[in-house]
């Protein structure tokens, strides 16, 4: 994959509210083309770099999500693991995710305004890892990143060292910078119909929004790790497994409405997937290569 800022992921949310219903219908039926490159399959270790201030509760929300992706013991339905199993329908079989090392950088070692090149430095500061490893940088609410809130809420890419390529990803907490752009539908949107926001399943607009974006970039990393896997459109700004289904969280979604989701009886919180430790999450729809449709959990 070319060493460029990749995915401009939440072009995602600027595309969430297209100018016509026809455009949205076309988004619901994308066709991702396979470009014959390798995918990340088998056992995948996800290392986390927490950059900035995160509470232990915030970290546990995200770690529980990651631990839910490949947890065979989750019996509740709909489950996070059933959402992730859609990635197994892409060439090469299943991808099992395991949380590896976690590093805390709460002293802002590179400052509070980061360039894309610095994200790569942070991602590989503690090594490249052995085998199938994805290093993920998570930035706190007070950290600005190039392009954040303007063209992306997260991104993924890879770096090449000698003859090997190493994937990485980044997602930022948008709660104090652009929740209407990167944490919709938990905040009123910046663009489009001003529908009431949904109640977050974990009580944190920024981190619940991060889960949506982390799910998006992680699925993209697995099915298009080196810019020659599954995607639609230009390689420099591709639509991938989840970003091809932008704005859809349940059946009946349309611009400004995320679709039918579950609502907690006592909390009023909206969710569509259950994970470990009883956690509930709202996950974006993923493209199913067997049916060529955006497959909802509900």
């Amino acid at each position: 994959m070319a060493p460029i800022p990749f995915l401009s992921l939440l072009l995602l949310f600027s595309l969430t509210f297209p100018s016509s219903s026809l455009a949205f219908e076309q988004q619901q039926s994308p066709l991702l083309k396979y470009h014959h490159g390798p995918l990340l399959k088998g056992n995948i270790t996800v290392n986390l770099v927490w950059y900035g201030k995160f509470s232990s509760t915030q970290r546990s929300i995200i770690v529980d999500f990651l631990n839910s992706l490949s947890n065979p013991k989750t019996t509740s339905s709909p489950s996070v693991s059933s959402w992730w199993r859609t990635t197994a329908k892409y060439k090469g079989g299943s991808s099992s995710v395991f949380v590896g090392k976690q590093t805390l950088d709460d002293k802002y070692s590179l400052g509070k305004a980061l360039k894309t090149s610095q994200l790569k430095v942070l991602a590989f500061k503690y090594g490249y890892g052995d085998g199938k490893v994805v290093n993920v940088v998570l930035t706190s609410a007070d950290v600005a990143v190039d392009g954040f809130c303007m063209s992306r809420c997260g991104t993924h890419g890879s770096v090449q060292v000698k003859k090997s390529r190493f994937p990485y990803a980044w997602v930022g907490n948008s709660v104090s910078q652009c929740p209407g752009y990167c944490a919709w539908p938990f905040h009123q949107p910046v663009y489009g119909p001003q529908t009431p926001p949904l109640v977050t399943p974990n009580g944190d607009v920024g981190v619940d929004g991060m889960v949506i974006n982390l799910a998006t970039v992680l699925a993209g990393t697995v099915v298009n790790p080196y810019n020659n896997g599954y995607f639609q459109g230009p390689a420099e700004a591709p639509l991938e497994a989840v970003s091809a289904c932008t704005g859809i969280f349940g059946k009946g979604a349309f611009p400004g409405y995320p679709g039918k989701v579950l609502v907690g009886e006592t909390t009023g919180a909206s969710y569509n997937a259950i994970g470990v430790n009883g956690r509930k999450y709202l996950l974006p729809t993923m493209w199913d290569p067997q049916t060529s449709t955006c497959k909802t959990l509900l």
Side-chain angles (χ1 to χ4, degrees):
M1 185 186 105
I4 54 177
F6 164 52
L7 186 60
S8 280
L9 166 62
L10 292 150
L11 273 178
L12 190 41
F13 281 94
S14 64
L15 290 173
T16 297
F17 306 106
S19 58
S20 70
S21 60
L22 175 59
F24 191 77
E25 289 171 5
Q26 290 173 339
Q27 281 181 259
Q28 291 190 38
S29 301
L31 181 61
L32 302 193
K33 181 180 178 181
Y34 178 52
H35 295 78
H36 307 292
L39 279 59
L40 288 184
K41 296 293 179 172
N43 294 336
I44 301 168
T45 300
V46 174
N47 296 324
L48 301 175
V49 177
W50 302 93
Y51 189 83
K53 305 292 185 181
F54 287 92
S55 69
S56 58
T57 299
Q58 289 178 320
R59 295 198 301 269
S60 68
I61 293 169
I62 290 177
V63 171
D64 281 351
F65 164 67
L66 293 171
N67 283 331
S68 301
L69 291 173
S70 303
N71 191 315
K73 297 181 180 179
T74 303
T75 58
S76 300
S77 181
S79 67
V80 173
S81 58
S82 64
W83 175 83
W84 183 250
R85 278 197 292 273
T86 300
T87 62
K89 297 182 180 182
Y90 291 74
K91 289 183 181 294
S94 62
S95 303
S96 297
V97 173
F98 301 91
V99 177
K101 297 178 182 178
Q102 297 187 55
T103 303
L104 304 181
D105 188 343
D106 57 4
K107 302 298 183 183
Y108 306 90
S109 62
L110 298 181
K112 292 187 176 182
L114 302 178
K115 299 178 180 179
T116 299
S117 59
Q118 292 175 303
L119 293 177
K120 297 178 185 179
V121 170
L122 288 171
F124 300 108
K125 183 177 181 180
Y126 305 98
Y128 293 94
D130 298 321
K132 298 174 182 176
V133 176
V134 179
N135 292 334
V136 179
V137 178
L138 302 168
T139 52
S140 60
D142 56 347
V143 175
V145 176
D146 277 353
F148 188 36
C149 295
M150 293 181 286
S151 63
R152 59 184 184 172
C153 305
T155 193
H156 76 86
S158 67
V159 298
Q160 185 158 347
V161 180
K162 296 182 179 179
K163 295 183 178 180
S164 299
R165 284 181 172 180
F166 299 91
Y168 74 95
W170 156 73
V171 170
N173 186 333
S174 67
V175 69
S176 60
Q177 299 182 54
C178 59
Y181 188 66
C182 293
W184 184 85
F186 299 129
H187 191 281
Q188 284 192 304
V190 174
Y191 308 106
Q194 296 299 299
T195 52
L198 302 183
V199 177
T200 61
N202 295 289
D204 193 311
V205 170
V207 174
D208 277 304
M210 289 181 77
V211 169
I212 293 173
N213 299 324
L214 179 58
T216 302
V217 297
L218 197 56
T221 300
V222 165
V223 306
N224 188 31
Y226 310 118
N227 215 23
N228 54 9
Y230 282 88
F231 65 88
Q232 179 192 60
E236 295 78 13
L239 294 178
E240 299 176 318
V242 174
S243 56
C245 300
T246 283
I248 305 172
F249 294 86
K251 292 183 178 179
F254 58 82
Y257 173 61
K260 184 178 180 180
V261 298
L262 299 174
V263 179
E265 292 184 4
T266 58
T267 63
S270 295
Y271 65 99
N272 60 7
I274 301 171
V276 299
N277 299 323
R279 288 279 189 194
K280 296 176 180 178
Y281 298 98
L282 186 67
L283 300 181
T285 296
M286 194 183 306
W287 187 76
D288 186 330
Q290 292 183 354
T291 62
S292 295
T293 61
C294 293
K295 180 182 178 181
T296 59
L297 279 169
L298 301 172

